[in-house]
Amino acid sequence: MESSDAEGVLAEQLLRVTRRLQRIQSRQLEPIGITPAQFRLLRIVAHCDGPPRMADLAQRLDVVPRAVTSLVDGLEASGRVRRAPDPDSRRVVRIEITEEGLATLRSLRDARRAAAEEILTPLTADQREVLGGLLSALVDGMPQRRC
């Protein structure tokens, strides 16, 4: 098999595993009442050095600002985030995570672990360790994006 064929097969395998993980995770997020996109936004807000602006979130999520507004609306309605005025500019709104949002993230970590466990079930402990090393090499090679 040529190198480009092997890379094509590898790319397809990665996409299939990613889609499967997303389906499992979506199924586990549903009872918590949060969408995968809201989960991603909540994680970003929690990991920023300070409350991000809506524009920061749109950039990090690689979406248009209107999409962030809808996500924040849903999270705010459920009490997981709140809008706060920027102390330096009245026109800027910052997004803060609430205690409810932090509690949601803790429960979502368990859902993510369960989804990963379901995917990894066919692998032995040694295979999981090798996969972990390979995934770390891929993640470590990606540029870090901060708010």
Side-chain angles (χ1 to χ4, degrees), residues 16 22 32 47 51 54 62-63 79 97 101 104 116 119 129 131:
R16 288 177 61 199
Q22 288 172 336
I32 296 170
H47 290 100
M54 300 279 272
D62 197 25
V63 298
I97 192 165
T104 298
I119 294 271
E129 188 173 329
L131 179 61

Side-chain angles (χ1 to χ4, degrees), residues 67-80:
V68 171
T69 300
S70 297
L71 293 173
V72 169
D73 286 347
L75 289 170
E76 188 174 40
S78 67
R80 293 178 172 120

Side-chain angles (χ1 to χ4, degrees), residues 72-90:
V72 169
D73 286 347
L75 289 170
E76 188 174 40
S78 67
R80 293 178 172 120
V81 299
R82 69 177 151 263
R83 288 175 166 90
D86 185 292
D88 299 323
S89 174
R90 293 184 336 190

Side-chain angles (χ1 to χ4, degrees), residues 10-68:
L10 183 58
E12 180 61 29
Q13 290 170 324
L14 285 170
L15 289 172
R16 288 177 61 199
V17 168
T18 301
R19 282 189 216 115
R20 184 169 173 221
L21 185 60
Q22 288 172 336
R23 279 192 308 273
I24 293 167
Q25 189 172 342
S26 291
R27 188 176 68 232
Q28 292 172 337
L29 294 178
E30 192 174 342
I32 296 170
I34 191 168
T35 67
Q38 288 173 327
F39 173 46
R40 194 165 163 228
L41 185 138
L42 199 58
R43 284 183 51 224
I44 290 169
V45 172
H47 290 100
C48 287
D49 294 331
R53 300 173 306 142
M54 300 279 272
D56 298 331
L57 293 171
Q59 183 180 10
R60 282 293 307 274
L61 292 167
D62 197 25
V63 298
V64 296
R66 175 70 189 122
V68 171

